Amino acid sequence: MQSATSLADPRPTVADFHRVNRGGGLFSESISQWLGAVFALVAQRLGLRPTALTITNLVLGLATSVTVVALAGPVADGDVPAWVVGLLALIGWQVAYSLDCADGQLARVTGQGSAAGARVDVLCDVAAQIALVAALAATSVAQEPSTPTWLVATFAGTWMVNLVTSVMQAGPNAASMVTSTSLPVRLVKLIRDYGAVIFVAALVLAVAPALVLWVMVAFTIVNGGFLLASIAFSARASLR
């Protein structure tokens, strides 16, 4: 691990921070984790603690989602251009996620990790993702008032599957259903790569907000299917 070396080095580089990232998928590792490494380097130079990045991630993520909710109606009415909201969401959500990547990198490289910090990180992730789900649901309802209530509820519930399984993967009993790291497999896994998902969500908000309903349908099916597959995989392993 690079963290042990970095602890003795008062001037770690961006590469040092990126080297200790925890993945997240092809998009996240190629873009979000690198941007996170830059944020971690700046924070280290400024003497900031990882939790400062965590809270900044939360504030930015919440502010972005609240703005999308507030402008959902005006966009549907044609009073605000959709591309403005989409661009705001793209920048706000991606920067917030990169800060989420950065806090862990900073903690590992500088040796500032703690159980309390890890809990704050997970709780802030939950809060930020609840707000993001609310933003997408509000947009769908504004664009399509007939959006079924059950779909909104199911979308919100299954969206958290990705976060829950990611947290479980960090434990001592972690196991993966698909262990291959080949490029085709990683491309397929982009559908559960959080960085890629929020990129697509923001792009739809910018170009065709009326399609947010179908984005919700797609991710409900994907995350619901992954949940059922994970239950079957874990149950089979427990019965061996």
Side-chain angles (χ1 to χ4, degrees):
M1 288 290 294
Q2 180 68 18
S3 56
T5 302
S6 298
L7 284 172
D9 181 6
R11 303 291 289 183
T13 65
V14 169
D16 292 326
F17 285 107
H18 185 265
R19 195 172 292 116
V20 299
N21 81 81
R22 293 292 176 84
L26 186 60
F27 183 99
S28 292
E29 292 168 32
S30 301
I31 298 177
S32 307
Q33 294 286 3
W34 275 110
L35 184 55
V38 173
F39 287 145
L41 177 67
V42 173
Q44 189 267 341
R45 296 288 194 267
L46 294 175
L48 300 177
R49 296 185 63 84
T51 298
L53 298 181
T54 304
I55 299 301
T56 304
N57 152 42
L58 175 63
V59 171
L60 180 58
L62 290 179
T64 301
S65 296
V66 168
T67 302
V68 173
V69 171
L71 294 178
V75 169
D77 294 336
D79 297 329
V80 175
W83 69 265
V84 173
V85 177
L87 181 61
L88 172 68
L90 177 64
I91 296 173
W93 287 339
Q94 288 293 341
V95 172
Y97 177 49
S98 296
L99 288 166
D100 184 36
C101 297
D103 59 10
Q105 295 178 18
L106 180 63
R108 287 186 286 277
V109 168
T110 62
Q112 298 183 78
S114 67
R119 288 195 297 271
V120 171
D121 185 29
V122 172
L123 293 171
C124 286
D125 286 346
V126 171
Q129 292 197 33
I130 288 173
L132 188 147
V133 167
L136 295 179
T139 300
S140 179
V141 172
Q143 293 286 332
E144 298 288 344
S146 61
T147 299
T149 303
W150 64 263
L151 175 60
V152 174
T154 307
F155 169 67
T158 55
W159 180 275
M160 291 300 164
V161 171
N162 202 11
L163 178 60
V164 171
T165 53
S166 296
V167 172
M168 292 173 66
Q169 284 292 330
N173 299 318
S176 176
M177 290 188 294
V178 181
T179 57
S180 173
T181 57
S182 65
L183 181 58
V185 171
R186 299 195 78 197
L187 288 173
V188 171
K189 285 186 174 182
L190 279 173
I191 200 166
R192 299 195 68 254
D193 181 330
Y194 186 71
V197 167
I198 58 177
F199 175 81
V200 170
L203 190 62
V204 173
L205 286 175
V207 177
L211 295 181
V212 169
L213 170 64
W214 295 106
V215 170
M216 290 169 55
V217 170
F219 282 106
T220 297
I221 293 173
V222 169
N223 290 324
F226 185 79
L227 174 60
L228 294 176
S230 298
I231 292 172
F233 175 79
S234 300
R236 180 181 178 185
S238 71
L239 293 172
R240 289 177 181 172

